[in-house]
Amino acid sequence: MTAISACFENLRRNHECALIPFITAGDPDLETTAKALQILDRSGADIIELGVPYSDPLADGPVIQAAATRALQRGTSLDNVLSMLQETTPSLKAPISLFTYYNPILHRGVEKFLQQIAAAGVAGLVVPDLPLEEAAGLLKPASERGIDVTLLVAPTSSAQRIEAIAHSSLGFIYLVSVTGVTGMRSQLEARVPDLIKQIRGVTDKPIGVGFGISQVEQARQVRDWGADAAIVGSAFVKRLAEGTPEQGLNAIAEFCQSLKSAITTTEV
């Protein structure tokens, strides 16, 4: 069993919804990123998504795009992100899922890329621009290394495509809650509860809902709709970028604790 699957199994046993925060590596710097991972781990994060900054982040909204641009301008690269992770992951309880686009994987070579991220302690992988039809070449070798490649379901996905993605996705299924890019929104699309039910009809794999969740009430709503995880990105990235690094770290700790408290249930 992979680290991510074990995490979800333990949470299900305790009737808990997972909290998956996202931050961008290298914003404001990699030293702060390492501290942020440790703080999120202590503050209620069950799994942590770490975005590798990329020059053309098609799925990312303005907050995460700006963070990636700042990180790249400071010289953040995949190699130094992995070096930071290699030093940091041994102290973390929460599995790390790397959020990256496919071009850096292709450029490095799938086998070499997977070998390097496994050595850095990465447990999962989200590649938003990798379509299902092209995913087999990454899914199989990643699975052999114990790395879960999680695929995305969009609100516009057909029933046939949802079933195919649910069958292939590893670790959990990433349900995109809005049509468009990541970012903070005042409300989630009304279709999300029906999409969760639809996915439940074809798989028992965990379902994480992301893109657009920025408030405690939205995270609780996602849990009440039956999701296994609330994925929160831009709201964390924005808080970490504001003020001094110390102020940013304090802000994400408080926000993480409030989110986890909101989606934790004592039902048995």
Side-chain angles (χ1 to χ4, degrees), residues 13-248:
R13 193 181 303 121
N14 294 314
H15 304 278
E16 281 190 49
C17 181
L19 174 62
I20 307 180
F22 169 101
I23 58 173
T24 300
D27 186 47
D29 52 61
L30 283 173
E31 181 181 356
T32 303
T33 300
K35 291 177 181 177
L37 294 176
Q38 294 166 335
I39 284 171
L40 292 171
D41 187 53
R42 295 195 301 265
S43 300
D46 297 293
I47 298 165
I48 304 171
E49 269 190 14
L50 182 65
V52 178
Y54 182 58
S55 58
D56 190 21
L58 298 178
D60 294 324
V63 171
I64 296 176
Q65 281 195 27
T69 298
R70 291 191 296 267
L72 290 170
Q73 288 173 343
R74 295 186 177 99
T76 304
S77 67
L78 176 60
D79 286 331
N80 53 34
V81 170
L82 294 180
S83 294
M84 178 275 296
L85 283 174
Q86 196 161 22
E87 295 179 2
T88 307
T89 53
S91 67
L92 303 178
K93 179 182 177 182
I96 297 294
S97 183
L98 209 61
F99 187 105
T100 184
Y101 290 85
Y102 191 64
N103 188 60
I105 301 173
L106 184 64
H107 178 74
R108 190 156 300 214
V110 169
E111 290 293 345
K112 183 177 180 181
F113 175 83
L114 291 172
Q115 178 184 5
Q116 291 177 331
I117 69 171
V122 171
L125 194 57
V126 179
V127 187
D129 60 344
L130 179 66
L132 173 65
E133 293 77 10
E134 305 294 332
L138 182 61
L139 285 163
K140 188 175 185 296
S143 179
E144 290 170 353
R145 293 184 179 274
I147 296 171
D148 287 327
V149 179
T150 297
L151 303 179
L152 285 73
V153 168
T156 53
S157 298
S158 67
Q160 182 180 10
R161 188 169 185 81
I162 286 173
E163 184 170 359
I165 291 171
H167 175 75
S168 298
S169 188
L170 303 176
F172 66 101
I173 293 135
Y174 195 132
L175 174 57
V176 176
S177 66
V178 295
T179 303
V181 297
T182 62
M184 297 174 287
R185 290 169 172 84
S186 59
Q187 61 184 24
L188 306 179
E189 287 198 12
R191 286 192 61 198
V192 173
D194 290 337
L195 287 166
I196 292 173
K197 290 177 183 177
Q198 187 174 351
I199 297 169
R200 285 268 182 256
V202 296
T203 184
D204 61 355
K205 292 176 183 176
I207 302 167
V209 176
F211 283 50
I213 301 173
S214 62
Q215 302 167 20
V216 166
E217 294 76 13
Q218 291 170 327
R220 188 184 293 115
Q221 185 176 51
V222 163
R223 180 207 64 185
D224 292 344
W225 283 340
D228 297 283
I231 306 166
V232 184
S234 295
F236 275 104
V237 173
K238 182 175 184 293
R239 283 169 170 79
L240 186 56
E242 291 177 341
T244 65
E246 183 178 356
Q247 289 171 329

